[in-house]
Amino acid sequence: MDLSLTAAQEMLKGAVRQFVDQEYPKETLLEIAAAMNESTHDSWHKLADTGWLGIVIPEEFGGEGGSLTDAGVLFEELGRGPVPGPHLSSGVLSALTVLEGGNNQQKSEWLPKMCRGEELLIPAITESDYGWYEDDVMSVLTDNGGNWVLNGKKAYVFDGASATHFLCTVKSPESSQVGLVRVFAGAEGVKVRSLSGFAWNMSEVTFSDVDVDQSDVLGGTLSGGWEALEKAIIKTIPILSAYQTGGCQAVYEVSVGYSRTRIQFGTPIGRFQRVQDHIINLVNQLDAARWTSNEALWKLDSGREPYDSVHLAKAVSSEAYVQACDHAHEVHAGVASMTEYGLTLHTTASRTLYTYLGDPRFHRHRLAEALGIL
């Protein structure tokens, strides 16, 4: 197993790091966090112009046609920011879902616009109980004599305020089949309410008697929609884990830098054993997130059975990002709680991403299933 980067991936890594340093300095990230809508910021439009939003989308649909490992390289560098935005939700999860379950017309019409950032297709999956199983879907798509009508409420929708369209999980009351439909965010009956205290414009989205056209049902039928979403989630998780790895890397670097320059009792605090303990714990969390994420990406790209590694990567990287931020706060003490210092950007991101696509407990259970223990 060779997890080293190719020359092209090293070039991508360098280009993304330079872009993030230039377009997403700490001051810009704090400004975006205060505004609570990253997709309206100039930096977001510049990110869309790079073409990286289409990194997992084939060239025939206007994308970069990159591998999942390429996407992991990109998102690890974005995670160092941490750069917010619907790059993961629309550019990866929704794009992969459309590729898995959409018909040819939907792929040809939707994906090129998503690559360019002209349309932001945001997944609206979870409801009030925040479950990630098919049976947790309660939103109803009713057939009223050939006219489809959607009713339901989605909770904790990432990038909800940024959406031009939602990719919504729905259930048929007649057949109980679960599928996905595309809904225009500005349609009559769609209401978006922002949820404060989270990263990535977390929102609650309500659908009240929303008309849905047949052409907006993913694949043309509800049958197979949930399976397409699950396949897309499996591919998305290691990319999300790579993003969390980038966050771990950033808080490690800032903590080491602070330990070298903060003087206490006439000596840098990095010479104190307790501070060194926190730095070592940071390193351990960073390495755990990086290697589990890389292994999952490698398995997916090489066609190997990925499920055990994917679930392990999500469980480990989510815990690692939270723990890394905790240790970073211990190193910095009070100054880390100051918003203008910037560490709280990662702290908020680590907590928000902890449960996205399933929390560690959920994935440990799925890991046990994949290993045949349950």
Side-chain angles (χ1 to χ4, degrees):
M1 180 174 62
D2 183 6
L3 299 181
S4 59
L5 300 182
T6 65
Q9 289 167 346
E10 289 286 2
M11 289 178 63
L12 174 63
K13 179 178 181 178
V16 180
R17 180 170 299 191
Q18 183 178 3
F19 177 85
V20 172
D21 290 343
Q22 178 178 327
E23 299 297 336
Y24 285 95
K26 177 178 66 176
E27 294 74 20
T28 296
L29 291 167
L30 290 170
E31 178 185 319
I32 293 172
M36 295 186 66
N37 194 344
E38 62 275 355
S39 65
T40 62
H41 198 275
D42 287 343
S43 295
W44 170 257
H45 297 300
K46 292 178 181 178
L47 177 58
D49 288 341
T50 63
W52 291 331
L53 295 183
I55 192 166
V56 299
I57 298 175
E59 293 180 5
E60 63 182 298
F61 301 120
E64 296 285 308
S67 66
L68 295 178
T69 301
D70 293 337
V73 172
L74 167 64
F75 275 86
E76 182 173 334
E77 291 304 315
L78 293 177
R80 289 168 60 90
V83 175
H87 37 53
L88 183 75
S89 55
S90 178
V92 177
L93 180 54
S94 285
L96 290 172
T97 304
V98 173
L99 286 169
E100 291 287 348
N103 56 40
N104 290 333
Q105 182 177 356
Q106 290 168 340
K107 294 175 185 178
S108 298
E109 291 182 0
W110 300 356
L111 293 174
K113 295 177 181 178
M114 293 165 64
C115 289
R116 298 189 295 267
E118 296 174 6
E119 289 188 359
L120 300 175
L121 183 59
I122 303 302
I125 302 170
T126 56
E127 308 196 14
S128 57
D129 60 357
Y130 203 68
W132 291 93
Y133 289 106
E134 184 177 4
D135 291 342
D136 295 319
V137 177
M138 295 291 126
S139 297
V140 174
L141 186 69
T142 307
D143 183 1
N144 293 335
N147 296 319
W148 297 91
V149 179
L150 170 61
N151 283 281
K153 181 182 290 186
K154 297 298 183 179
Y156 309 108
V157 177
F158 270 60
D159 307 304
S162 305
T164 62
H165 297 78
F166 291 102
L167 188 62
C168 183
T169 53
V170 295
K171 176 180 289 186
S172 167
E174 294 84 13
S175 65
S176 295
Q177 288 183 326
V178 175
L180 296 107
V181 296
R182 188 180 75 153
V183 181
F184 177 50
E188 184 177 354
V190 178
K191 182 180 179 181
V192 180
R193 181 174 71 89
S194 295
L195 303 177
S196 60
F198 298 94
W200 282 280
N201 289 335
M202 192 77 79
S203 303
E204 175 189 83
V205 185
T206 304
F207 303 95
S208 301
D209 294 327
V210 179
D211 292 329
V212 176
D213 191 84
Q214 177 67 37
S215 63
D216 285 322
V217 178
L218 189 70
T221 175
L222 294 185
S223 177
W226 183 261
E227 289 78 6
L229 175 62
E230 284 200 316
K231 291 178 181 178
I233 287 176
I234 288 296
K235 294 178 180 179
T236 301
I237 283 174
I239 300 174
L240 168 59
S241 298
Y243 186 97
Q244 293 170 310
T245 300
C248 291
Q249 180 71 44
V251 298
Y252 162 72
E253 290 175 0
V254 73
S255 297
V256 170
Y258 186 79
S259 72
R260 290 171 174 171
T261 57
R262 177 71 168 94
I263 305 299
Q264 188 64 270
F265 305 113
T267 189
I269 63 170
R271 293 185 178 179
F272 300 138
Q273 182 65 55
R274 191 66 185 119
V275 174
Q276 292 174 4
D277 289 343
H278 290 304
I279 298 294
I280 291 170
N281 286 329
L282 263 166
V283 174
N284 291 338
Q285 299 296 342
L286 170 60
D287 284 348
R290 171 164 287 130
W291 296 119
T292 53
S293 301
N294 287 350
E295 182 187 48
L297 289 166
W298 171 76
K299 280 190 174 182
L300 284 163
D301 280 336
S302 60
R304 288 169 170 78
E305 189 73 17
Y307 299 103
D308 54 348
S309 295
V310 167
H311 295 305
L312 179 63
K314 182 58 170 71
V316 169
S317 60
S318 290
E319 292 282 8
Y321 197 11
V322 168
Q323 292 296 323
C325 289
D326 288 350
H327 290 299
H329 277 272
E330 293 286 356
V331 172
H332 286 82
V335 69
S337 298
M338 298 172 61
T339 302
E340 57 269 29
Y341 187 74
L343 184 57
T344 53
L345 290 167
H346 283 286
T347 308
T348 305
S350 69
R351 270 64 180 171
T352 304
L353 293 175
Y354 186 82
T355 56
Y356 189 49
L357 304 184
D359 63 13
R361 181 179 180 181
F362 172 85
H363 284 285
R364 284 194 292 268
H365 183 83
R366 298 298 298 270
L367 173 61
E369 290 178 339
L371 295 174
I373 299 174
L374 294 180

